Amino acid sequence: MSSIFTKIVNREIPAYIVAEDENYLAFLDINPLAKAHTLVIPKKEVDYIFDLDDESLAGLWIFAKKVAKAIDKYMEGEAIRTGVAVVGLEVPHAHIHLVPIKNITDIDFTRPKLKFSYEELQNIAEGIKKFVVL
Ligand code: AMP
């Protein structure tokens, strides 16, 4: 059975997509720790990020950098920089969390998640997308 993220890649379930190329996809985390919390995934379904082949792993981080730069621009004045985390305990499809942060507690995964409306998430995704340069 394909992962929930493969279903997003295949457009079988919706997501707030912020960037895409042939091999990678970035979309908003549905239960965000912060505004513009974004997940970056390889389209190829591999559970553990460090099981990706070298080329795919390097490409994933380079793609994440481009998305993070777009998040930085979108969140200018609201965050200091984009923090990075790799957890992978919930969804067995490799992904990098990009979380805009002002302080260390902004990237504390034990904190209650934020709630945004459909329209807010749509606007955030569109706002980041405008700054993405692939
Ligand atoms: P983890 O595997 O522990 O790194 O966490 C998986 C992350 O994926 C969590 O932050 C979830 O909120 C997020 N997530 C799960 N399902 C979806 C989905 N359908 N769309 C966007 N984010 C999701």
Side-chain angles (χ1 to χ4, degrees), residues 4-5 8 13-16 27-33 37 39 85-93 95-97 109 113:
I4 194 149
F5 291 170
I8 290 173
I13 61 167
Y16 302 92
F27 51 90
L28 296 183
D29 193 302
I30 204 73
N31 290 307
L33 278 176
H37 179 171
L39 302 176
V86 175
V87 185
L89 292 174
E90 187 186 318
V91 177
H93 185 141
H95 53 280
I96 297 170
H97 293 261
F109 281 79
K113 305 300 184 291

Side-chain angles (χ1 to χ4, degrees), residues 61-82:
W61 283 102
I62 292 165
F63 187 81
K65 172 183 171 177
K66 292 170 180 170
V67 176
K69 292 287 186 184
I71 293 171
D72 288 341
K73 288 200 176 109
Y74 175 69
M75 291 297 288
E76 199 174 341
E78 291 185 70
I80 292 174
R81 58 177 56 203
T82 295

